[in-house]
Amino acid sequence: MVLLIIYVGVVVCMEMNSRGTPGGEYVTPGTIYFEASGYYRRKSLSSLPKTWWKLHTDGDPLWNRLQLPVDRYFSPILSPNNTKKGFKNDTFLESPLTQSFSDVVNSNGTSRNFTELPEQIKEFVRHMHRRDYRTVHQPSGVCGAGAQDQKENTLLLLAIKTTELNFKNRQAIRQAWGQVGWVAGQNSSGGYVRRVFLIGKEDPIELGVNISELLELENKHYGDILQWNFKDTFFNLTLKDVLFWSWFSRYCHRTQFVFKGDDDVFVNTANIVTYLQDQLKRPNARKTLKDFMVGDVIAAALPDRSIKSKYFIPESFYKGNYPAYAGGGGVVYSGLLAKRLHRMSKRVHLFPIDDVYVGMCMIRLNAYPIHHPAFLTFDFPGKEEEELCAYHKILLVHKRSPAQIVRLTADIKKTQAQCRDVPLRDGVKKGK
């Protein structure tokens, strides 16, 4: 009888605690969750959606079903031994991805639902387990094209996503903001910059011509092409991130920062160099830079359900908010973080939207991008662009044509003296 009374008391206390837990959420009747109190507030563990603890996944979208068993496998609470092993063994990291893909994709329910997916998603799913693509072209330098007489470690590697056909974009970048070697910043600061273009393959049959030889000649001349043998599509941009991180981890041991961006952005490289030198001077820089990523941060975004949008993600493929991510054409992160993202990517299934995928890897590292208003991924607001020193206040603006990129670089040089002491844009409109 005493034991029975104790048991009833424990059950009642647990029920009261579960209802009074800070940050708790209403659970729909019939849905079974297990939630570890305080898990989401521990800095040593990464933040994940509470559906991580859901016991039943029947009827969940494809990507969620694929990723859930992997997150559970590497849970420091559910499987602490697996977490420790995973940081030491690449093969051990990759095997849960392979197993969950095989289990989920080959199940009867998934096979039936697969036919209902849009064609571009079907194509992505057919190949989303593959990452073993052959390298077609490598840069001539160890870590991208750079100055032959470089005397210090590389401060910044410009890693630009482009396509075989976008030669004009690459050429404009080479002539303008993407020049390699020593780049002077403001206030006598500076650093060495290197460059690499990230490219997949065009289908010669669809294109009507094979331009492989032209790209080979281009790489021989400039030495800045990194190309893999996968089809260059919008949904395969995520592959460029994953394969680039792998290449970077192997060849760029002493590179301090990476700019990863599109080939239609204008970058004020001198401002970025100055900004990064300032980061290195901060207290405990080595410790903080392991998580360092800065850009135009988009928080709590929802998947685009418009079937006409190139960002369309159907409900049958993914459910939930997107994690915070830096998007819109350009982001800067530390070399230390690039290596950590490489290892974490082995624990996260590929996702069709590349910026979102980076956010998915970041949140599992318990790292969060920093928002900076000098990243204008949606262009200047209002008439701000018409100001004399507008382009001296920014780090990046999207979108610009090759001709505009070259012209803007020349304009900045002409107004350098007049705008020398202009601070970076802070996003706050000053009153008169």
Side-chain angles (χ1 to χ4, degrees):
M1 181 63 69
V2 173
L3 291 175
L4 179 61
I5 292 172
I6 293 173
Y7 174 77
V8 172
V10 170
V11 170
V12 171
C13 290
M14 289 178 65
E15 178 66 16
M16 292 175 65
N17 287 337
S18 67
R19 291 180 182 179
T21 301
E25 65 178 12
Y26 176 76
V27 179
T28 305
T31 304
I32 302 174
Y33 288 87
F34 170 74
E35 182 178 335
S37 177
Y39 174 80
Y40 301 100
R41 292 178 288 280
R42 288 185 59 187
K43 294 182 179 180
S44 61
L45 302 176
S46 58
S47 303
L48 291 174
K50 292 184 180 181
T51 52
W52 183 51
W53 299 103
K54 192 169 64 171
L55 297 180
H56 300 298
T57 61
D58 295 340
D60 279 359
L62 177 59
W63 192 91
N64 301 70
R65 290 177 62 195
L66 286 169
Q67 187 60 37
L68 189 58
V70 182
D71 287 337
R72 285 173 174 167
Y73 189 82
F74 288 108
S75 161
I77 294 176
L78 298 179
S79 309
N81 292 333
N82 289 344
T83 302
K84 293 177 182 178
K85 292 178 184 177
F87 286 107
K88 300 177 182 179
N89 189 320
D90 283 352
T91 303
F92 183 85
L93 277 174
E94 294 170 346
S95 59
L97 283 182
T98 304
Q99 186 62 48
S100 74
F101 186 85
S102 176
D103 291 345
V104 173
V105 172
N106 293 329
S107 66
N108 292 332
T110 302
S111 299
R112 289 193 301 270
N113 294 335
F114 181 77
T115 58
E116 300 174 2
L117 293 172
E119 188 55 42
Q120 66 269 29
I121 294 287
K122 286 183 187 177
E123 183 66 19
F124 176 82
V125 172
R126 290 188 188 104
H127 302 95
M128 66 181 291
H129 62 292
R130 280 202 60 190
R131 305 184 186 199
D132 57 339
Y133 292 95
R134 178 176 58 88
T135 303
V136 181
H137 294 299
Q138 289 258 29
S140 57
V142 175
C143 180
Q148 294 182 352
D149 60 344
Q150 185 170 325
K151 300 175 182 178
E152 300 175 6
N153 291 339
T154 301
L155 175 69
L156 179 64
L157 171 65
L158 305 172
I160 304 129
K161 292 182 177 180
T162 183
T163 65
E164 287 183 325
L165 294 175
N166 283 8
F167 174 76
K168 288 184 178 181
N169 299 63
R170 293 192 292 277
Q171 199 64 358
I173 290 170
R174 291 176 180 126
Q175 295 173 15
W177 59 263
Q179 295 184 32
V180 299
W182 178 264
V183 173
Q186 309 295 337
N187 305 321
S188 302
S189 63
Y192 280 99
V193 175
R194 303 183 76 86
R195 181 185 66 233
V196 63
F197 289 102
L198 313 178
I199 307 178
K201 289 281 290 182
E202 300 287 346
D203 188 335
I205 298 176
E206 292 181 6
L207 199 61
V209 62
N210 191 338
I211 59 176
S212 297
E213 292 183 4
L214 292 176
L215 197 68
E216 184 176 355
L217 290 172
E218 184 182 344
N219 194 38
K220 283 182 179 179
H221 186 76
Y222 295 105
D224 57 5
I225 302 294
L226 178 56
Q227 185 184 31
W228 298 276
N229 189 32
F230 65 80
K231 190 174 181 180
D232 211 335
T233 64
F234 177 70
F235 279 178
N236 277 347
L237 288 175
T238 305
L239 273 174
K240 290 185 181 180
D241 278 303
V242 169
L243 296 175
F244 166 70
W245 292 334
S246 177
W247 174 85
F248 181 91
S249 299
R250 183 175 182 182
Y251 294 105
C252 304
H253 301 295
R254 298 181 179 179
T255 299
Q256 293 173 293
F257 295 96
V258 174
F259 167 81
K260 188 266 294 183
D262 296 340
D263 64 1
D264 60 351
V265 298
F266 174 78
V267 177
N268 190 321
T269 313
N271 278 354
I272 287 186
V273 166
T274 303
Y275 177 78
L276 296 179
Q277 289 287 16
D278 290 343
Q279 302 306 308
L280 292 173
K281 295 174 185 175
R282 292 192 170 195
N284 301 317
R286 177 76 184 183
K287 182 178 180 180
T288 58
L289 288 179
K290 70 182 181 69
D291 294 333
F292 178 79
M293 176 180 286
V294 61
D296 181 10
V297 176
I298 301 169
L302 293 168
D304 192 334
R305 304 302 191 192
S306 173
I307 197 168
K308 295 183 179 179
S309 171
K310 72 174 183 177
Y311 301 100
F312 171 61
I313 298 295
E315 293 182 11
S316 57
F317 183 80
Y318 177 81
K319 178 176 65 176
N321 285 13
Y322 287 152
Y325 64 91
V331 61
V332 175
Y333 49 81
S334 69
L336 292 172
L337 180 57
K339 295 170 185 176
R340 296 181 68 215
L341 286 168
H342 165 56
R343 293 190 64 78
M344 182 52 70
S345 70
K346 297 174 182 292
R347 292 166 49 175
V348 184
H349 280 284
L350 297 181
F351 192 80
I353 312 298
D354 55 334
D355 298 338
V356 173
Y357 180 76
V358 177
M360 290 173 167
C361 293
M362 287 283 286
I363 198 171
R364 286 166 173 80
L365 288 170
N366 202 25
Y368 301 89
I370 304 163
H371 179 75
H372 200 301
F375 283 82
L376 295 175
T377 58
F378 297 101
D379 218 324
F380 288 91
K383 297 183 178 181
E384 190 176 322
E385 185 180 9
E386 298 175 7
E387 298 174 9
L388 176 66
C389 300
Y391 283 89
H392 292 266
K393 298 179 180 180
I394 67 166
L395 296 171
L396 171 148
V397 65
H398 190 213
K399 293 182 160 184
R400 294 298 182 266
S401 69
Q404 288 174 318
I405 287 173
V406 174
R407 178 179 56 78
L408 288 169
T409 302
D411 290 345
I412 282 182
K413 290 180 179 179
K414 289 178 183 178
T415 56
Q416 187 67 47
Q418 298 162 277
C419 303
R420 182 175 300 278
D421 297 323
V422 172
L424 282 180
R425 186 177 183 279
D426 61 9
V428 178
K429 198 69 176 177
K430 302 294 190 299
K432 292 183 179 180

